[in-house]
Amino acid sequence: MDAMERLAEHLSKRRPELRQIKKDGQKIIGYPPGGYLPEEMIYASGALPLCLARGGDPEPVAESLAYIPRFIDTFCRCQIGYRVMGEEVLYQLPDLIVVPVTDINMRGIADVWDYYTDVKTFRYGVPHNKRQDALDYYIGSLRLLKEKLESFTGITITEDKLKEEIKTQNRMRELFRNISQLRQPGKTPAISTQDFLKLHHASFYADRATLREILETLYEELKQKQVEETGKPKVLLTASTLAMGDYKIFNIMNEVGGEFIFEEAAEGMMPYEHEVSLDGDPILAMADTFFMKRVVPAWFRPTRERVDYLINKAKELKVDGLMWYQLLYRDGYDIQSYSFKKEFEEVTGLPFLKLESDYDTSERGQFKTRVETFVEIMKQRGN
Amino acid sequence: MYSNLFKMCGYTDEEIEEQRPRIEKALERMGVFNEAAIEHAEKTVQANYDVEMVSVQKLLWVFMHSCIDGVLARDEHDYVINCNWPFPVQMTLAMIAAAREAGGKTWVGMPVQVLWMVGGTVFDILTPMLERGELIGQPVGKAHCSQYQIYTGAIDLGILPKPDLGIGSGWFCDQAAETEEMMSELYNFEIAYLDGVNDWAWNAWPNLDERAVKYSANTIKLALKRVKEITGIETTEDQLKAGFKYVAKWLYGMQNITRMIGAADPQPISQANVNLPYGLWAIATDYPDQAVDGLATMVREVKRKIDEGEGVVPKGAPRVYLALRTNVDTTPIRMVEELGLCLPTVFVDWLCPQELTKSTYTDMVDKIAEGLYRRPQLCDASAALMYWKTLCKDFNMDAAIISYAYNCRPWAVDPIMAKLDLQKELGIPAIVLETDGYDTRNYSAEQLRTRLESFAEVVKMNKEMKAAA
Amino acid sequence: MLTAGVDVGAATAKTAIVRDGEMIAHKVIPTGSKVQESALKVTEDALAIAGLTMSDLDAIISTGYARHVVSFSNRGVSEIICHAKGVHHLIPDARTIIDIGGQDSKVIGPREDGTVADFVMNDKCAAGTGRFLEVMANVLELTIDEMGPEALLSHAPATVTSTCTIFAESEMISLRAENVNREDIVAGIHRAVARRVIIMGKTVGYKDKIVFTGGVAKNIGIKYFLEKELGMEVVVGDEPQIMGALGAALIAQIAPK
């Protein structure tokens, strides 16, 4: 059995396992994806972090209309659907929800948990710039989170314990980084973007030790793997949210003969590009990694950093085009896509495709036509 | 050609004569310097407001003057600084005063907010601006903030000048700041953001989070510093204090009007007219004294109408709370009143007791930031729910119309919660309606009518049954 | 006392004639483009059934979206109020009314006396209405009457989620291109309409007994999926289309002016 198969097997048993863990008394702390919550904090408090990142299914979107009006980002809007429909076990497990509030859509997630369920939230705001006062705010937020976790679990988060968890998480991040770095500029990657993303999604609820072991094996397997160049156009993917279960665009890209070779998403991935320093105050070190070094999402202002990052990535990875994937009513992405497209095309000369999803099944045909054309354009340019 | 219109808006003949070149230049730029447009404006303003009320004329005067100032700002000043809603009024007033004292080289204002009132309820010319905004990063059908579509459109069409500095609001919603960020890239001007974090704990309001207040206050300080660096203008503590004084007067006057209308039976004036003082509560202009005079006049006029028993809805009509002012078009307000429902208070005109507690901050800028978060609708859903419930109880409402804005993300979270809470906890029926603050194309008045009519009948029948029991 | 209720909807015009609290005749015709004429015609036709003429009527109340253009009525009353009244008359223990008409769908919570405690109504979108089913029938080359029975043939309803009529149309086309059975597509459409209306009405709540009215209530496919998705029994009366007209005529008996 190879590593990916082992992972699938582990995940298939994980939901009942988590149920048992909860039954046995360990606290489970849920949080929405977004990368502003250092999981090491939760581990250090003796609780189990559980990232609630399901999306892509139309039914919870429809269901959510009974709870929240439709003008909220699709991913954020449908979260209540997963909870009330009851079929997704992960959404039934949390004892507490921690929400780093990055924008109104995320705040909406916190509001619906508080209003419609008996699971309460702890929120902390993420400022929208990287000035010193903003960093200080984020640091203060992490300190409050620490206090909250301590009072919630009754376990003191000592500096030693926290550093130990940081070390473990650093190793996880390193493994993700190592695997990511096997992807070469302009080449067919050893691991598909969809598989790489699925590793991230696995990290949201898998047993950490098991996942770590699987990632170690997988890395070795991938290193040995002889990758055949497909010659398909290479695409850089950037997204507001790449939710667990939202794989429509990957399937379509596969069908029409293009391939993603790298991805950046505000939500849906575990931050892995930088480790947390073990020197000095661990809170400051985490703030540096999770806030300062983090690629800014579209709702930051100024937002230049993100624009430059994507343009540089496109050049560095020698991609043939960029796909911008966003969810309906995520205004920050919609607005930024306008000036970004202009600049991206001007600077790189590469084609740009924007897709916007409401997790609706009727989108598929339209998406396919557009991605097909996009791939065709890239092919023509290649010749 | 336009004398009649301007007289409806409180201008005297002498003033029209004196201002003629400015008026004509501004009208031309707004595309309304022709008979047809002026005729349409006369009809529009009369449909929206009761222009025979002196207070309405006086308040319209403030808006018209401010609008012309904003359109001509670049022609008449070296530096232009735009402050954009949602924005602290005290701070803008202080900057306006500082700019004036420094000799008028710099113009500070809130031209977009003025434009939406004048362009919407007087000239009815917002659609081309909205359509232009839709072409610039805020496409149709995606629920983008129509206020900012108007802003982008107005700049792109040359109706408003590009500023040298925009002071943007990122403390309440995301779209405001995101649009300004885009505009700064497109039109090459600088933005200083007031930032906020929106992380109030559920049910924590009115206990304000000091961290959040201080953080937002600091961003205000940084913005003021940037204004100084660019224009040399320094806003003093005294000017900030004067800004506070204005707001205090405004709060007092608005509460007076709100309480008087709320207690009167029948409802003495259409709530459509209250759009004007509400607008000037949120918008700082160069004419604070005239604005306060207009407000005081409205207080007197309302009082007189109550004394004389005048009413716009039948006596004893069911009392209904309407949760949103549609700023650019008063049709929904009028429609509810025409259906025979009394609107004792609308939107967030009322200040609930929790908002009126004394500030514990000493620093003026901290106080400004605190003031923002005193308003429950600007924090989280739990605060808004508490406001709605307190209001409906206090005003003895028979029902509530939870209208919310298509374009406004922060206010799209809680309408269904509000309906459930009001029904469950207060036992009053509530209906959720989708409207829009600035774009009348986003709701169909006729579709609203069917639902409002049905709702009105339900509410009336309830009231009759209650009375019978 | 002899009264008429005229319900002018988007698709059909309905009239009910009530004498001393009991319905004696009713008639349904397509509304067509001339609303006023249809309203008059359907009323005269209904009266003719009972051997009566307009001059025999003591009062007329109009309802439905075009109630204000019915010039011969004494007054207009909203269809929500009328529906509740009409249903209450025939099924007094109804506590929830699901009404799906040509362009509107509503969920109404009536009190024990037939007055309305709460209601919701669809916004301007046509998904979840009779119009939606009609458009889909066209795409699938079925008549509207064939849709319901066809839906019941399915063992595996296709996933249809579109919240928009226009997009649903392209969704149908792609499902057909993927060779999904027609009955499964039709079932999927019916489930989607049922779900959409159910979700819309959740803030009103679903209490036994649930009565399904409006033109679409004749569609057994929608009834089936309403019951399945709600897990509750849904009752359809004999003439689900005329509840509004009946209610209007009944209100005219009590409060003609």
Side-chain angles (χ1 to χ4, degrees):
Chain A
M1 201 192 304
D2 71 8
M4 287 309 272
E5 281 168 12
R6 273 183 55 214
L7 179 62
E9 198 196 294
H10 168 67
L11 294 179
S12 71
K13 293 179 187 148
R14 186 60 178 162
R15 283 175 173 82
E17 232 172 74
L18 282 167
R19 250 195 199 149
Q20 192 56 44
I21 287 169
K22 184 180 168 79
K23 221 170 159 189
D24 294 343
Q26 191 177 7
K27 292 267 189 266
I28 295 183
I29 296 186
Y31 68 96
Y36 286 100
L37 176 67
E39 283 197 321
E40 35 269 75
M41 291 271 272
I42 298 176
Y43 279 117
S45 76
L48 197 64
L50 175 66
C51 181
L52 300 171
R54 270 299 291 270
D57 306 297
E59 288 83 5
V61 176
E63 183 70 26
S64 67
L65 285 176
Y67 301 89
I68 186 165
R70 61 194 168 114
F71 301 117
I72 294 290
D73 163 87
T74 309
F75 170 78
C76 299
R77 181 173 10 118
C78 75
Q79 295 302 293
I80 186 68
Y82 285 104
R83 167 74 184 192
V84 295
M85 289 173 80
E87 287 156 30
E88 172 51 277
V89 173
L90 301 180
Y91 283 70
Q92 314 308 320
L93 298 172
D95 298 294
L96 172 75
I97 302 279
V98 176
V99 180
V101 179
T102 49
D103 71 351
I104 295 295
N105 297 286
M106 272 290 148
R107 197 198 83 192
I109 294 184
D111 285 348
V112 290
W113 275 98
D114 273 311
Y115 187 83
Y116 290 111
T117 79
D118 50 6
V119 186
K120 295 301 144 208
T121 69
F122 173 77
R123 318 162 180 216
Y124 59 86
V126 178
H128 306 99
N129 63 75
K130 290 185 177 178
R131 284 194 307 245
Q132 184 62 43
D133 58 327
L135 173 63
D136 290 344
Y137 193 90
Y138 184 75
I139 291 167
S141 294
L142 292 187
R143 294 200 195 285
L144 288 177
L145 173 65
K146 179 169 170 283
E147 275 172 32
K148 174 70 189 181
L149 291 171
E150 287 175 339
S151 68
F152 190 73
T153 60
I155 292 169
T156 306
I157 301 175
T158 63
E159 192 169 321
D160 286 350
K161 178 80 185 135
L162 190 51
K163 284 194 171 170
E164 198 183 301
E165 290 298 342
I166 289 174
K167 225 187 270 173
T168 311
Q169 287 296 100
N170 273 348
R171 177 59 188 153
M172 295 298 282
R173 288 186 274 268
E174 189 185 9
L175 282 164
F176 272 98
R177 214 160 47 239
N178 288 346
I179 292 171
S180 175
Q181 280 164 0
L182 292 173
R183 308 187 285 187
Q184 296 296 310
K187 298 262 169 57
T188 295
I191 180 165
S192 74
T193 287
Q194 185 171 0
D195 279 348
F196 186 62
L197 188 64
K198 282 185 172 168
L199 296 177
H200 283 266
H201 293 163
S203 81
F204 293 162
Y205 67 108
D207 172 65
R208 184 169 55 164
T210 310
L211 180 65
R212 176 176 163 169
E213 200 191 305
I214 290 172
L215 290 176
E216 312 249 12
T217 325
L218 178 67
Y219 179 55
E220 292 307 320
E221 282 175 16
L222 291 172
K223 265 202 308 196
Q224 306 302 322
K225 190 172 162 186
Q226 295 294 317
V227 185
E228 208 175 303
E229 176 52 48
T230 59
K232 291 177 179 175
K234 307 287 183 276
V235 180
L236 170 60
L237 172 66
T238 183
S240 59
T241 312
L242 292 174
M244 186 161 90
D246 181 21
Y247 303 124
K248 194 185 284 170
I249 53 168
F250 299 98
N251 298 335
I252 292 175
M253 186 58 88
N254 252 341
E255 287 165 24
V256 304
E259 68 193 352
F260 292 116
I261 63 165
F262 195 78
E263 66 298 298
E264 181 276 331
E267 285 150 6
M269 298 183 69
M270 172 186 137
Y272 68 97
E273 289 196 313
H274 306 279
E275 21 190 272
V276 176
S277 164
L278 290 162
D279 300 329
D281 182 345
I283 299 264
L284 299 184
M286 286 189 293
D288 185 52
T289 299
F290 284 85
F291 185 70
M292 294 305 280
K293 290 193 177 128
R294 168 74 197 276
V295 180
V296 303
W299 51 77
F300 261 64
R301 42 250 180 192
T303 193
R304 193 71 237 159
E305 181 194 324
R306 173 183 158 74
V307 174
D308 291 341
Y309 171 86
L310 288 172
I311 289 176
N312 289 336
K313 267 282 175 233
K315 287 184 189 161
E316 179 195 313
L317 294 169
K318 299 193 168 65
V319 294
D320 301 302
L322 179 140
M323 184 195 281
W324 179 286
Y325 177 65
Q326 68 185 49
L327 299 177
L328 189 60
Y329 305 134
R330 198 59 174 260
D331 40 67
Y333 276 79
D334 205 30
I335 293 168
Q336 187 169 88
S337 70
Y338 178 78
S339 47
F340 179 82
K341 177 182 190 287
K342 279 188 176 175
E343 184 169 344
F344 180 79
E345 288 176 345
E346 217 173 272
V347 175
T348 65
L350 296 172
F352 168 99
L353 177 72
K354 174 174 146 185
L355 293 181
E356 184 175 48
S357 174
D358 196 30
Y359 295 159
D360 201 290
T361 47
S362 69
E363 299 159 353
R364 202 175 195 288
Q366 239 230 6
F367 277 13
K368 192 168 174 180
T369 308
R370 295 168 65 189
V371 179
E372 214 165 358
T373 314
F374 178 57
V375 167
E376 228 23 73
I377 289 170
M378 287 188 290
K379 279 184 185 162
Q380 281 169 6
R381 289 168 46 94
N383 294 334
Chain B
M1 158 171 89
Y2 49 82
S3 294
N4 194 30
L5 174 69
F6 276 73
K7 276 198 245 173
M8 276 185 215
C9 300
Y11 280 63
T12 58
D13 284 325
E14 298 75 51
E15 200 176 5
I16 294 171
E17 205 41 57
E18 184 207 328
Q19 294 276 321
R20 194 170 290 285
R22 292 185 78 233
I23 291 175
E24 294 186 359
K25 203 173 186 183
L27 291 182
E28 192 139 14
R29 212 163 281 172
M30 290 158 73
V32 288
F33 191 44
N34 61 71
E35 296 270 355
I38 297 296
E39 210 173 290
H40 183 65
E42 284 177 15
K43 282 188 195 139
T44 307
V45 72
Q46 290 181 77
N48 278 303
Y49 308 112
D50 299 319
V51 289
E52 65 284 354
M53 285 174 68
V54 179
S55 55
V56 165
Q57 293 168 14
K58 286 185 172 184
L59 293 168
L60 279 170
W61 182 94
V62 175
F63 277 109
M64 289 294 258
H65 269 269
S66 306
C67 183
I68 292 169
D69 292 352
V71 170
L72 301 180
R74 180 61 71 197
D75 306 51
E76 299 174 344
H77 306 271
D78 292 346
Y79 295 108
V80 175
I81 297 178
N82 285 357
C83 302
N84 285 318
W85 204 90
F87 200 82
V89 175
Q90 308 94 322
M91 179 182 167
T92 322
L93 275 171
M95 285 194 288
I96 289 172
R100 204 188 298 127
E101 270 173 40
K105 248 172 83 175
T106 301
W107 184 83
V108 181
M110 300 176 77
V112 192
Q113 289 63 44
V114 172
L115 184 66
W116 99 50
M117 290 291 282
V118 174
T121 60
V122 179
F123 291 107
D124 184 23
I125 49 166
L126 295 179
T127 300
M129 294 177 227
L130 287 159
E131 284 171 350
R132 180 62 68 96
E134 285 168 357
L135 297 176
I136 305 170
Q138 301 151 86
V140 66
K142 309 296 181 191
H144 281 292
C145 178
S146 37
Q147 183 192 146
Y148 279 84
Q149 286 174 329
I150 292 169
Y151 186 22
T152 319
I155 296 254
D156 206 69
L157 290 165
I159 294 169
L160 287 180
K162 285 176 208 168
D164 298 286
L165 176 70
I167 308 188
S169 291
W171 58 271
F172 167 58
C173 62
D174 310 298
Q175 290 189 83
E178 285 155 1
T179 314
E180 293 226 49
E181 179 69 19
M182 176 191 70
M183 289 172 73
S184 77
E185 293 263 331
L186 294 177
Y187 305 116
N188 202 20
F189 61 82
E190 190 182 329
I191 310 282
Y193 294 105
L194 306 197
D195 197 25
V197 282
N198 262 302
D199 58 358
W200 317 99
W202 187 257
N203 279 339
W205 190 88
N207 298 315
L208 297 178
D209 179 346
E210 193 185 318
R211 257 170 28 98
V213 171
K214 289 271 184 191
Y215 173 70
S216 288
N218 192 48
T219 67
I220 295 176
K221 285 177 187 161
L222 289 170
L224 290 173
K225 192 169 152 232
R226 191 67 195 130
V227 170
K228 189 184 166 195
E229 283 164 5
I230 292 181
T231 65
I233 290 170
E234 188 163 9
T235 307
T236 64
E237 176 109 354
D238 281 346
Q239 283 155 348
L240 283 169
K241 274 186 186 153
F244 265 92
K245 236 180 177 170
Y246 169 88
V247 172
K249 276 187 198 162
W250 211 262
L251 292 183
Y252 183 75
M254 271 302 281
Q255 292 320 292
N256 236 336
I257 291 177
T258 304
R259 273 197 305 269
M260 281 195 297
I261 298 179
D265 185 18
Q267 181 189 326
I269 62 167
S270 168
Q271 282 284 357
N273 300 303
V274 187
N275 266 23
L276 291 166
Y278 173 77
L280 285 173
W281 187 2
I283 303 167
T285 71
D286 254 305
Y287 311 96
D289 295 340
Q290 291 90 334
V292 169
D293 176 41
L295 180 70
T297 309
M298 189 172 275
V299 171
R300 285 196 298 274
E301 280 183 302
V302 170
K303 190 168 181 320
R304 186 180 51 74
K305 280 173 189 278
I306 292 172
D307 290 345
E308 289 169 9
E310 274 186 46
V312 292
V313 298
K315 209 166 155 47
R319 299 164 64 80
V320 177
Y321 173 57
L322 177 65
L324 183 73
R325 277 195 183 285
T326 41
N327 297 292
V328 296
D329 153 40
T330 61
T331 320
I333 293 177
R334 298 256 185 209
M335 198 184 279
V336 175
E337 291 168 347
E338 277 159 21
L339 289 169
L341 299 178
C342 165
L343 292 174
T345 185
V346 172
F347 197 33
V348 295
D349 292 5
W350 183 60
L351 289 166
C352 65
Q354 295 97 317
E355 297 180 69
L356 293 166
T357 47
K358 212 170 153 45
S359 172
T360 51
Y361 292 91
T362 48
D363 181 279
M364 293 307 279
V365 176
D366 287 352
K367 277 189 186 187
I368 292 178
E370 184 202 21
L372 302 175
Y373 299 123
R374 278 285 171 96
R375 300 250 63 190
Q377 291 76 5
L378 306 178
C379 295
D380 74 337
S382 71
L385 293 176
M386 191 189 290
Y387 178 83
W388 277 326
K389 285 183 281 187
T390 316
L391 182 148
C392 287
K393 225 186 276 173
D394 221 82
F395 280 80
N396 198 18
M397 296 292 187
D398 295 306
I401 299 169
I402 309 294
S403 44
Y404 72 100
Y406 166 86
N407 61 39
C408 187
R409 212 65 78 245
W411 286 342
V413 177
D414 44 38
I416 297 172
M417 301 174 187
K419 174 180 160 78
L420 294 172
D421 258 19
L422 290 174
Q423 285 175 334
K424 209 165 50 196
E425 294 183 28
L426 269 63
I428 63 171
I431 185 171
V432 176
L433 285 186
E434 195 180 287
T435 55
D436 193 306
Y438 318 99
D439 187 350
T440 50
R441 300 168 308 158
N442 283 337
Y443 56 89
S444 123
E446 279 319 298
Q447 253 262 342
L448 287 185
R449 186 184 293 279
T450 308
R451 276 180 285 177
L452 282 174
E453 272 182 12
S454 305
F455 189 66
E457 287 174 38
V458 168
V459 172
K460 283 182 200 161
M461 206 167 280
N462 274 349
K463 179 129 180 156
E464 281 163 25
M465 280 175 46
K466 244 191 226 166
Chain C
M1 185 177 193
L2 188 72
T3 58
V6 192
D7 177 359
V8 192
T12 53
K14 289 88 55 174
T15 290
I17 310 292
V18 169
R19 171 175 281 152
D20 301 331
E22 289 309 320
M23 182 162 70
I24 55 166
H26 61 84
K27 178 78 183 172
V28 181
I29 65 168
T31 304
S33 57
K34 291 178 180 160
V35 177
Q36 169 81 339
E37 279 175 29
S38 311
L40 188 59
K41 183 172 187 327
V42 73
T43 307
E44 285 171 346
D45 288 0
L47 284 164
I49 294 171
L52 298 163
T53 62
M54 289 296 272
S55 57
D56 296 321
L57 289 169
D58 295 309
I60 305 169
I61 283 184
S62 53
T63 185
Y65 89 97
R67 61 187 172 280
H68 296 304
V69 302
V70 180
S71 59
F72 57 87
S73 80
N74 296 64
R75 64 184 181 111
V77 173
S78 97
E79 57 263 44
I80 289 165
I81 304 283
C82 292
H83 259 94
K85 190 79 190 165
V87 169
H88 176 70
H89 182 74
L90 297 177
I91 310 170
D93 53 346
R95 289 298 164 269
T96 309
I97 301 167
I98 298 174
D99 179 81
I100 308 182
Q103 68 170 12
D104 288 330
S105 46
K106 317 168 187 81
V107 177
I108 305 169
R111 294 198 186 82
E112 287 175 15
D113 63 355
T115 58
V116 176
D118 194 12
F119 72 93
V120 282
M121 189 171 160
N122 67 312
D123 49 38
K124 54 191 163 190
C125 176
T129 66
R131 177 77 193 132
F132 181 82
L133 288 168
E134 222 169 84
V135 172
M136 296 304 114
N138 269 337
V139 177
L140 296 164
E141 291 159 347
L142 285 167
T143 67
I144 186 76
D145 296 334
E146 290 165 340
M147 288 283 277
E150 177 97 6
L152 298 187
L153 298 175
S154 165
H155 299 291
T159 307
V160 175
T161 58
S162 188
T163 46
C164 173
T165 316
I166 306 297
F167 283 119
E169 205 172 329
S170 66
E171 193 172 1
M172 293 312 98
I173 292 165
S174 41
L175 284 171
R176 293 196 75 179
E178 286 163 30
N179 277 328
V180 177
N181 292 332
R182 189 169 71 177
E183 65 266 26
D184 294 339
I185 300 177
V186 175
I189 292 165
H190 283 69
R191 189 174 61 180
V193 169
R195 273 184 60 82
R196 193 167 166 85
V197 175
I198 289 170
I199 288 166
M200 180 185 80
K202 274 197 174 172
T203 56
V204 173
Y206 294 95
K207 284 178 230 116
D208 222 14
K209 178 186 266 180
I210 303 174
V211 178
F212 181 20
T213 67
V216 177
K218 289 187 166 173
N219 178 318
I220 52 172
I222 298 291
K223 176 179 184 287
Y224 171 80
F225 281 108
L226 283 174
E227 289 186 325
K228 193 160 181 240
E229 296 287 324
L230 280 168
M232 294 168 84
E233 194 195 348
V234 171
V235 178
V236 179
D238 287 340
E239 293 293 343
Q241 266 178 297
I242 59 140
M243 294 301 156
L246 173 60
L250 288 165
I251 292 171
Q253 295 264 314
I254 318 157
K257 297 274 148 37

